[in-house]
Amino acid sequence: FPKDVKIYIDGGWNEGEDESKMIRWMRQVYRTLAAKGLKDLENIFYHEDLEGIHNEKDWTKRSPMALLYLYGKFSSQIVNFTAKPIIKKREIASQIYYVPFLELANDMQFTPILCHYKTNNHNMVQIGEDGELIVLSRTSSCSIEIEYQAQKHTIPLPDMK
């Protein structure tokens, strides 16, 4: 890739019958590009829309981010680092994911994928590299920490009794 290449990737968690399938493919493409040396915000802008579906309305909602990143005066200044839970209903059990977000200037939201997750109570929950929460025990509350490039965000989880 040329050093100044810019690639914008986005999609929604509700993109079809298996909502998480689109996200899994997007993350695979992102990881492949990152492994080839492309850098977050410099070469790649990646965004997951938690409520996004496959339609023109949602593309219109996200298009300002694409246009600003690819053609505008883009600022990678981080305003806030947060994470939002998303619950995906399945036939057997629900899956809970914590999706991290960097809130940037100009109302842009970047979804960092190469994060490190950890919990303060390994006996109660585990968290996968993709942010999937696995509840082992429903005894008390605990927290998870998400780290991305020296930015840390701690999320207290509710009591799971």
Side-chain angles (χ1 to χ4, degrees):
F1 293 100
K3 289 185 188 259
D4 63 347
V5 70
K6 285 188 166 188
I7 299 172
Y8 179 90
I9 303 169
D10 84 12
W13 273 81
N14 297 316
E15 299 250 7
E17 290 179 27
D18 180 2
E19 299 91 357
S20 61
K21 190 177 208 177
M22 175 68 147
I23 298 299
R24 285 194 309 268
W25 283 109
M26 286 175 33
R27 288 180 177 190
Q28 183 177 348
V29 167
Y30 166 84
R31 286 186 176 108
T32 300
L33 293 170
K36 293 189 179 291
L38 299 183
K39 306 273 187 249
D40 288 353
L41 302 173
E42 185 177 323
N43 304 111
I44 305 172
F45 193 96
Y46 181 88
H47 175 73
E48 293 178 5
D49 185 340
L50 299 184
E51 287 112 30
I53 60 176
H54 197 76
N55 68 19
E56 290 81 2
K57 179 182 173 194
D58 282 0
W59 300 332
T60 300
K61 181 178 76 173
R62 298 189 306 257
S63 66
M65 289 192 302
L67 293 171
L68 187 58
Y69 178 69
L70 295 171
Y71 304 109
K73 291 192 176 195
F74 170 71
S75 171
S76 61
Q77 175 188 355
I78 298 171
V79 176
N80 191 21
F81 179 38
T82 187
K84 298 175 185 173
I86 184 163
I87 300 171
K88 287 295 162 197
K89 304 286 184 194
R90 300 287 182 239
E91 289 181 25
I92 299 172
S94 295
Q95 290 174 291
I96 302 170
Y97 292 87
Y98 277 87
V99 181
F101 288 99
L102 297 178
E103 294 175 14
L104 307 174
N106 300 320
D107 295 323
M108 296 182 70
Q109 283 193 339
F110 179 82
T111 308
I113 297 302
L114 301 177
C115 294
H116 298 285
Y117 296 88
K118 61 184 178 181
T119 178
N120 67 342
N121 189 337
H122 296 283
N123 295 324
M124 185 177 162
V125 298
Q126 292 178 349
I127 189 155
E129 70 175 25
D130 63 350
E132 182 181 5
L133 192 69
I134 301 160
V135 178
L136 303 172
S137 170
R138 298 183 177 273
T139 57
S140 63
S141 63
C142 70
S143 64
I144 58 172
E145 180 182 272
I146 304 172
E147 182 177 354
Y148 173 76
Q149 295 184 353
Q151 299 272 335
K152 291 183 181 179
H153 181 64
T154 301
I155 303 164
L157 301 176
D159 284 345
M160 297 183 190
K161 293 181 180 180

